[in-house]
Amino acid sequence: MRTLHYHVVNVFTAPDGNPFSGNALAVFPHADGVSDARMQAIAQQLNLSETTFVRDCARETTGADADVRIFTPGYELPFAGHPTLGTAAVLDTERGLGGEVALRFPSGTVPVSIRDGLVTLTAQPPRYRDAPDDSVLAGALGLAASRFAGRARFVDTGTEQLIVPVATAGDVFACQPDITRFGEAAVNGRGIAQALVWAPSEAGIVARFFWVQAGQIGEDFGTGSACANLGGWLLGQGQTLPFSSTMLQGHGVNRLAHLQLDLTGNGAIRVSGRVRRIGYGTFELPDE
């Protein structure tokens, strides 16, 4: 039998310290030798939005502190934001990395810094792809085409997603995606339909993130990759730099996440949030 230990953390938790805010994550910090099939089965068993599995690597040759794989209950992701921040926080505590962590994902290596209670990743430079026209997106999201407030685009800073600007927070709340139309309009290069719908507000940015999994529309609590892609969208629109804002997400699932988006003067995209460990556990499984 093999025993696998894991931590449960919440990422993008509220500034008031509420432990049951943000997006939950399971981190397996010692997953060397675990097969892809077993990682997928464990992620399905836990049924969190993502679970990460950490494997050792030689920093001298890779430039990273660890290799990380990210699994949803149904498939693997090449990169995701809240798993990056949560995994970095766990490894920094376990290994004493001094607040500077480099994680290697299938999409590339991501640097993470931990300062004054905030965990911050620097995303990869954005790549862009055209989105369907507004009439198609209107049917996919259950909104009138007149409610869009700019050009929707697919943006990829590690994971490609559709970024959709709308006029007001009320339009964000009003979204009712149609599974068939959404699954066709928002599909990324890996065949997965994902979209961030957002609007400016007095508090900063209000957003909801939708995706299709197992034949259903899901809504995420807090999506760091989408926050990074929103940063890429803003850069593509000629956003004045530097730029800083808080993105509030999770309204449709009654659990808010607080994501900090910063664009530096030279156009680097940074996403930050608080990470709080709330539990741990073990799996006892037959050897593979």
Short mmCIF file of all heavy atoms in Angstrom, two decimals, residues 210 245 263:
data_model
loop_
_atom_site.label_atom_id
_atom_site.label_comp_id
_atom_site.label_asym_id
_atom_site.label_seq_id
_atom_site.Cartn_x
_atom_site.Cartn_y
_atom_site.Cartn_z
N PHE A 210 -17.49 30.61 -16.55
CA PHE A 210 -18.29 29.44 -16.88
C PHE A 210 -17.45 28.45 -17.69
O PHE A 210 -16.57 28.85 -18.46
CB PHE A 210 -19.51 29.85 -17.72
CG PHE A 210 -20.38 30.89 -17.09
CD1 PHE A 210 -20.31 32.22 -17.50
CD2 PHE A 210 -21.28 30.56 -16.09
CE1 PHE A 210 -21.11 33.20 -16.93
CE2 PHE A 210 -22.09 31.53 -15.50
CZ PHE A 210 -22.01 32.84 -15.92
N SER A 245 -6.24 46.45 -10.13
CA SER A 245 -7.66 46.36 -9.79
C SER A 245 -7.91 45.05 -9.05
O SER A 245 -7.14 44.09 -9.16
CB SER A 245 -8.54 46.42 -11.04
OG SER A 245 -9.91 46.47 -10.70
N LEU A 263 -0.96 45.06 -13.79
CA LEU A 263 -0.17 45.14 -15.02
C LEU A 263 0.94 46.14 -14.76
O LEU A 263 0.69 47.30 -14.40
CB LEU A 263 -1.04 45.61 -16.19
CG LEU A 263 -2.31 44.79 -16.47
CD1 LEU A 263 -3.09 45.42 -17.62
CD2 LEU A 263 -1.96 43.34 -16.79
#
